[in-house]
Structures are given as C-alpha cells and as structure tokens.
Amino acid sequence: MLEALPVWPAYLFTVVLFLGLGAGSLLVPREQVLEDAPDRSAWRDIRWWSVALIGVQLALYWVFS
C-alpha cells in the first residue's frame, strides 16, 4: 500500500525542514551564542557551523536519493 504513495512530498518536507532548521539557527542572537566563549572569534559562532552541516546533509540527501 505504501509503495503506491509518491515520494516527492516526503522529499520536499525533509528539505523544507532542513532549511527551516538552518534559518532558525541564524535567528539566535550572536551575543547569546558566544556568551560563554573565551573569545569572540568568528569560528566559534555555532550558527554558521550548523548552516554548514545542514548544507552537507542536504547535499548527501540529494546525492543518495
């Protein structure tokens, strides 16, 4: 029964979810992200690391789907 369902809605939902998580991570204020950091270096900003990781995950999802 599930074989008859189209796959594209699940693919679209997954991509939209990943993009929403990436956008949501950028909404967190920089000061809050770096609150406990010993310095304010740009590489410590976890928001950009999360966007990069989500980009890698989306690329892998695209390649293997």
Side-chain angles (χ1 to χ4, degrees), residues 24-46:
S25 70
L26 293 176
L27 293 176
V28 178
R30 185 175 194 271
E31 293 77 28
Q32 186 177 1
V33 171
L34 298 175
E35 187 174 308
D36 294 334
D39 60 353
R40 303 273 180 189
S41 300
W43 70 271
R44 292 189 185 272
D45 194 347
I46 197 74

Side-chain angles (χ1 to χ4, degrees), residues 11-26:
Y11 178 79
L12 180 65
F13 175 76
T14 303
V15 170
V16 168
L17 183 66
F18 272 120
L19 292 176
L21 286 170
S25 70
L26 293 176

